[in-house]
Amino acid sequence: MFVGLRVVKTSIAIALSIWIARLLHLEPDHFAGIISMLAVQPSVYRSLHHTLSHMASALAASALGITAALVLGSSSLVIAAAAFIVMTMHVRLKRTASLTLAVIVAINTIGTSDELIGGMAAYNQFLLVLVGMTVGTAVNLISKPIHREREDVLLAKSETMLRVLLHYIQIDLQAGRMTPYKPAMRLQIEEVRTYIESGKSVSQLVREDRWLTRGSDGGAGELFRSYETMAERIRDLVKALQKADAAHPEAARLIQALAIVIRGQERMTQHGRRMPLGLLLRALRPSRMKRNPGQEEIARLFPYYQAYEALGDYLKELEASRRAVVARPAVKEAPVTRLRAVLRGKLAGRTAG
């Protein structure tokens, strides 16, 4: 089973936090390890944001806990009342992300007030939070999360699946049938949406850590939004064809139009070539079989009109995605990767010689 880097960093943060807490004679020392888990976030930005938020909550909760313990004692009713106040404060301030930590700190502060003199219980709890959050954030900073590679993989999967869906429709038309929307095509579209949603989440992490690299990469969020719209247009295309006559001559033109779009999208994504969008959109207009078609012929053509409209909107989003690809900076190879490529080239040259 594959173990991610975040799991490894979390384990290291836990061990270091407990070790430092024991060196400082903080009790319970394992609490620092629990806190450090909260600091190892998917992005460095979130680690820093959570650290500041949790530290403020821990300071307030420890102060409230020791005040309650010194004034009212450490009975179960006092602990429950303190926890209620802490939760109410965080809900009112809309700081629910730190609510659980603050309640635990308040309870621990009151619970250890009998063993520690004066405000040492609050000081002890705050130090445990400080150690855990600092160590967790530092470990996350040493090896910052890398999301650009995952983003590229999800982009490739999403774009490939969109072409596959169009290819399925083309194959069915060539066989003289219309692709049913339910259940097969609907499940396929949902699978593409799953890739896209995952990509949008990863893209958000890329944007959050943009300040660390001082680069212009704002993530591929715009690309994923274009792909999301393209998936919707495929859904519209399939639904429009549910009422179409597969034996109508217009089906042959739609097969050709799908082939052009699939081939054009493949050339654009693999070679970066621009598609003649204007020519394609004009080519995707249904032909007039008769100069003055009757009501029956119009009814037979109407699903194809809807299909061509959906395919035209698909092309517009595809062109928008191309502009996003052009504006997106390329991934710079790491020094180790570049060195490996150079050495491999030299080795190949000596072997050839």
Side-chain angles (χ1 to χ4, degrees):
M1 183 177 66
F2 177 74
V3 177
L5 180 60
R6 187 180 173 190
V7 175
V8 176
K9 289 193 295 185
T10 302
S11 301
I12 295 173
I14 291 173
L16 288 176
S17 298
I18 295 175
W19 178 67
I20 294 174
R22 287 176 179 175
L23 285 179
L24 298 176
H25 303 290
L26 301 174
E27 294 293 339
D29 49 28
H30 63 270
F31 186 57
I34 297 173
I35 299 300
S36 67
M37 294 180 61
L38 302 176
V40 184
Q41 295 292 319
S43 67
V44 176
Y45 168 81
R46 292 189 187 183
S47 288
L48 296 173
H49 179 76
H50 278 68
T51 296
L52 296 176
S53 177
H54 290 334
M55 291 299 296
S57 295
L59 182 60
S62 58
L64 176 64
I66 196 60
T67 301
L70 294 176
V71 176
L72 302 174
S74 58
S75 65
S76 58
L77 290 177
V78 173
I79 294 176
F84 177 79
I85 294 173
V86 169
M87 286 187 286
T88 302
M89 288 172 54
H90 280 74
V91 171
R92 287 289 183 89
L93 296 174
K94 298 181 180 180
R95 301 288 293 276
T96 53
S98 303
L99 187 150
T100 303
L101 172 65
V103 171
I104 294 175
V105 169
I107 293 174
N108 278 347
T109 301
I110 299 175
T112 57
S113 61
D114 294 336
E115 303 173 6
L116 300 174
I117 302 174
M120 287 300 296
Y123 180 69
N124 185 78
Q125 290 299 310
F126 181 74
L127 279 183
L128 284 170
V129 175
L130 178 62
V131 169
M133 297 304 297
T134 302
V135 170
T137 303
V139 170
N140 212 26
L141 280 168
I142 292 173
S143 178
K144 71 182 184 67
I146 301 174
H147 303 291
R148 179 64 188 269
E149 289 80 0
R150 290 175 57 202
E151 187 182 54
D152 288 338
V153 170
L154 290 169
L155 279 172
K157 286 184 176 180
S158 301
E159 187 277 326
T160 302
M161 281 298 297
L162 289 171
R163 276 190 285 128
V164 169
L165 293 181
L166 291 178
H167 191 58
Y168 284 159
I169 300 171
Q170 183 189 23
I171 292 175
D172 284 342
L173 285 171
Q174 289 172 340
R177 60 176 180 267
M178 296 300 176
T179 305
Y181 177 66
K182 294 180 181 179
M185 183 55 70
R186 182 177 181 179
L187 292 176
Q188 293 289 339
I189 292 176
E190 289 300 325
E191 183 179 355
V192 177
R193 285 174 176 167
T194 301
Y195 286 133
I196 293 172
E197 288 300 322
S198 300
K200 288 164 69 176
S201 300
V202 174
S203 181
Q204 175 64 30
L205 298 176
V206 173
R207 284 196 300 272
E208 288 178 359
D209 283 347
R210 178 180 172 183
W211 57 277
L212 285 172
T213 57
R214 297 181 181 178
S216 58
D217 189 2
E222 185 178 347
L223 268 171
F224 284 113
R225 284 189 290 272
S226 293
Y227 289 164
E228 188 174 33
T229 305
M230 289 161 68
E232 289 297 316
R233 297 296 76 81
I234 292 178
R235 179 183 66 85
D236 295 342
L237 172 64
V238 175
K239 285 191 171 183
L241 291 176
Q242 300 305 294
K243 300 178 181 180
D245 182 6
H248 195 282
E250 198 62 41
R253 289 190 71 253
L254 183 57
I255 292 173
Q256 294 177 355
L258 286 169
I260 292 172
V261 172
I262 294 170
R263 188 162 55 249
Q265 181 173 338
E266 185 176 359
R267 292 177 64 186
M268 189 195 76
T269 54
Q270 294 183 2
H271 306 291
R273 297 180 181 177
R274 185 172 183 178
M275 297 178 63
L277 185 61
L279 295 176
L280 285 175
L281 290 177
R282 285 195 292 272
L284 293 180
R285 294 172 183 170
S287 63
R288 295 288 182 125
M289 303 300 297
K290 298 179 182 179
R291 181 167 297 181
N292 296 311
Q295 291 295 328
E296 183 179 352
E297 181 63 18
I298 291 176
R300 294 180 67 194
L301 278 174
F302 184 69
Y304 286 101
Y305 275 103
Q306 291 181 312
Y308 283 121
E309 182 180 359
L311 201 56
D313 291 339
Y314 180 93
L315 277 176
K316 291 178 182 177
E317 287 298 329
L318 183 59
E319 176 66 16
S321 71
R322 190 198 69 84
R323 291 194 295 268
V325 170
V326 172
R328 190 164 179 253
V331 179
K332 293 182 179 179
E333 288 186 322
V336 175
T337 306
R338 293 198 300 269
L339 178 61
R340 187 184 297 119
V342 172
L343 293 177
R344 189 175 300 170
K346 290 183 177 180
L347 181 60
R350 290 180 179 178
T351 304

